[in-house]
Amino acid sequence: MAAPVVTSTAPDSVAVSVFRDPDRDEGGEIDRDWLNGFALISETRTLDLPAGESVVRFEGVAEGMVAVSAIVTGLPGGVVQKNRDAALLSPASLLDGTLGNRVHLRRTKRATGDVTEEEAIIRSGPAGAVVLQTSAGFEALRCTGIPESLVYDGVPKGLTAKPTLSVTTRSPAAQRVTATLTYLSTGFDWASNYVARVAPGGKTLDLFAWLTVANSNGESFADASLSALAGTLNVERDFDELVESPLTPRLNLTCFPTGSGRYGQPLLSPPPPAPAMVGYADEGAENIVVTGMRLREAKASSPVAVVAEQEDLGDLKLYRVPIPVSVAANGQKQVALLTKDDVPFATIYRLRVDVDDEFDDEAAEILLRMENKKSQKLGIPLPSGQVAVFEQSHGMELLAGEGAIRDHAIGERVDIVIGESGQVRVAIENYATPGKDRHSYRATVSNANPYAVTFELGFDYHEDGQLDSRLRKLPRKDGLPTWTVRVPANATRRFDYRVRASGG
């Protein structure tokens, strides 16, 4: 006799821990069309087990489940075997599974709305024209110009409406148990999105960050305990190679012999809905989003109620959302990650060049520099992400630039490049010295701003022998000899140096 089946249609509670795409550049954006991160999902389910052997079906697992990673605990008899049920219910799989069997063909008359129904036998599968045999003979489905649909008496064996993991277990007695299913799943990713608002005067800024989690699976995780992990894991296996993706063939109906419907248009099953990518939501929307102003107003009463809490997990940083949230299918979730006010910063103009470069005119980069220290109003781990910088102008808040930051530990310098300057320009000219193997260079920086600026010129080189004494004596920033100078308003500054030709 077949073992009885115990079906769990949904978890009682679920925890979703999302890891970033390990191959995404630090500061890079989420590719919403191709999520290459993953998640560790832990589901708690209540089961009523019969005595003896039974098959437990965990329905509604993520379609990106890595089945070989699945661990089930809490079953008194343990797990005898497990199977990933990958054949999903769809119009095409229904047709294929009912091939050769009787169904009901329902037609609706356009003029009167009358509905008729007759028995039919499916004689061909879902690829191309679906041939039906009725009492009148053979015909192709939906090729008469009359609205038609098929009605099935039941679901063919082996099909499931939801991605399902089945396990076989043995229980010493009939009992109710609480089991935990834990597994890895592909189709997730997360990133930080920072908003920096520069205060009047340009000396401090308010820094706010979103934690953005994306899910490309077709399953939602309601009221989940959500967390995100920052750091790089050593991934030895390609998860995509381990995933048994659910089989959902698409139904494509055509009318022979022309390959078109009665009115010359292909008859296709409706495409899946487009991913519901949610941006900044208004109050009352499904996403938990809090603007910087609302967050500041909420500090006095609930300072951590809506902000992800940071924890250490080995060398990784874990950000736990303190309230249950829903991670929607094919959607995006945003919660507040951090907020820091009145952070002092400096605006630096910078250019990095090869030591033997020469050019007539080049724009300097504009970067904002902060120190990630408590004494400088920061002093927290900063996960990599995109940054949008806003400044006040005539009473309006305008976008001043965008950039990216890498992961920063406490105590590090934080440089955010937000664009190029049209006012601070650099030229490097070469003065060859006849008969010698050295070349003389002059770097000129000009500042057209009505205020003084700090400028840094970093020199990249191939061999130590290329550098003369002036270059060797320069302080190093990010490993490069760097000339730092204060350039007055509407003024220029020059730096002369000599370089030996590479390999000379």
Side-chain angles (χ1 to χ4, degrees):
M1 295 180 62
V5 176
V6 178
T7 300
S8 172
T9 58
D12 302 325
S13 62
V14 61
V16 180
S17 302
V18 183
F19 295 79
R20 296 183 305 198
D21 178 359
D23 297 323
R24 178 157 49 87
D25 293 337
E26 286 192 315
E29 294 184 82
I30 292 176
D31 183 356
R32 292 176 173 83
D33 297 324
W34 192 256
L35 300 180
N36 279 325
F38 56 97
L40 179 68
I41 300 173
S42 183
E43 303 177 352
T44 301
R45 301 185 182 226
T46 301
L47 307 171
D48 289 314
L49 299 179
E53 186 171 289
S54 62
V55 175
V56 179
R57 290 171 52 82
F58 296 96
E59 292 187 347
V61 297
E63 63 188 34
M65 166 189 258
V66 181
V68 296
S69 71
I71 299 173
V72 181
T73 59
L75 298 178
V79 174
V80 178
Q81 64 176 342
K82 58 183 180 180
N83 297 286
R84 176 74 158 91
D85 299 341
L88 291 186
L89 189 63
S90 70
S93 62
L94 263 176
L95 270 169
D96 194 41
T98 318
L99 183 63
N101 295 319
R102 292 181 182 271
V103 294
H104 303 277
L105 178 59
R106 182 177 292 171
R107 292 190 172 108
T108 303
K109 293 183 179 180
R110 295 183 184 276
T112 64
D114 293 339
V115 177
T116 62
E117 192 172 291
E118 63 179 308
E119 285 192 343
I121 300 174
I122 298 176
R123 292 303 188 188
S124 70
V130 175
V131 177
L132 303 175
Q133 182 182 2
T134 68
S135 59
F138 292 88
E139 62 180 271
L141 180 64
R142 297 183 188 172
C143 290
T144 63
I146 301 175
E148 297 176 334
S149 61
L150 296 181
V151 180
Y152 301 81
D153 291 328
V155 177
K157 185 178 180 180
L159 292 183
T160 177
K162 304 176 182 178
T164 301
L165 179 76
S166 298
V167 302
T168 303
T169 186
R170 295 188 181 97
S171 177
Q175 57 187 305
R176 172 168 289 189
V177 300
T178 300
T180 301
L181 169 62
T182 303
Y183 59 93
L184 293 172
S185 174
T186 60
F188 290 87
D189 205 352
W190 78 274
S192 304
N193 295 95
Y194 294 86
V195 178
R197 291 183 167 87
V198 177
K203 301 298 182 182
T204 64
L205 57 80
D206 294 341
L207 188 65
F208 177 80
W210 300 104
L211 188 160
T212 303
V213 175
N215 170 25
S216 64
N217 289 269
E219 292 69 45
S220 296
F221 301 91
D223 296 326
S225 174
L226 177 64
S227 58
L229 290 98
T232 303
L233 292 182
N234 182 30
V235 179
E236 295 286 347
R237 300 282 302 275
D238 183 355
F239 290 144
D240 288 337
E241 295 179 357
L242 301 175
V243 174
E244 300 176 41
S245 298
L247 304 177
T248 53
R250 187 177 179 184
L251 181 60
N252 186 354
L253 299 179
T254 56
C255 295
F256 58 88
T258 62
S260 66
R262 180 176 177 87
Y263 301 104
Q265 297 296 327
L267 295 170
L268 304 177
S269 60
M277 307 313 293
V278 183
Y280 301 135
D282 293 329
E283 186 173 7
E286 187 271 338
N287 281 25
I288 298 175
V289 292
V290 182
T291 66
M293 180 177 296
R294 285 170 58 196
L295 190 63
R296 286 194 292 273
E297 292 171 351
K299 282 182 178 179
S301 58
S302 55
V304 296
V306 292
V307 181
E309 299 169 349
Q310 182 226 311
E311 304 174 16
D312 291 331
L313 182 67
D315 286 345
L316 304 178
K317 299 298 180 184
L318 184 147
Y319 297 90
R320 189 184 306 277
V321 179
I323 59 176
V325 296
S326 294
V327 182
N330 298 309
Q332 173 178 294
K333 169 70 63 182
Q334 288 184 309
V335 297
L337 177 64
L338 61 87
T339 177
K340 291 290 182 179
D341 295 336
D342 302 323
V343 179
F345 75 96
T347 301
I348 307 293
Y349 294 83
R350 183 182 72 181
L351 192 64
R352 289 174 170 173
V353 298
D354 285 336
V355 74
D356 52 1
D357 271 355
E358 55 180 307
F359 46 82
D360 294 331
D361 182 61
E362 193 81 25
E365 294 177 329
I366 306 171
L367 66 87
L368 307 185
R369 176 167 294 165
M370 298 172 283
E371 297 292 333
N372 193 13
K373 301 175 181 178
K374 286 187 177 181
S375 60
Q376 299 297 306
K377 302 294 185 73
L378 280 178
I380 55 174
L382 298 175
S384 68
Q386 299 288 305
V387 185
V389 180
F390 294 86
E391 293 185 4
Q392 293 285 336
S393 178
H394 301 288
M396 298 177 60
E397 193 172 64
L398 302 176
L399 181 67
E402 293 182 309
I405 65 172
R406 60 173 177 82
D407 288 328
H408 281 83
I410 297 173
E412 285 190 307
R413 187 186 77 217
V414 181
D415 285 346
I416 306 172
V417 178
I418 64 170
E420 292 185 343
S421 172
Q423 303 292 89
V424 179
R425 317 289 296 187
V426 184
I428 298 180
E429 53 185 330
N430 170 251
Y431 297 95
T433 305
K436 295 187 178 181
D437 59 357
R438 291 179 178 271
H439 299 276
S440 298
Y441 291 84
R442 170 170 292 169
T444 303
V445 54
S446 59
N447 174 27
N449 286 303
Y451 49 82
V453 301
T454 299
F455 173 77
E456 295 177 354
L457 182 62
F459 296 95
D460 197 3
Y461 59 94
H462 307 289
E463 302 171 3
D464 287 342
Q466 289 184 275
L467 306 182
D468 72 347
S469 60
R470 293 203 65 184
L471 291 172
R472 290 177 183 274
K473 291 178 181 178
L474 290 175
R476 292 180 179 259
K477 290 185 179 177
D478 298 328
L480 302 181
T482 302
W483 173 50
T484 303
V485 63
R486 188 73 173 168
V487 186
N490 300 305
T492 60
R493 290 291 183 267
R494 295 182 176 86
F495 176 66
D496 293 336
Y497 55 96
R498 304 183 73 187
V499 178
R500 184 189 298 273
S502 179

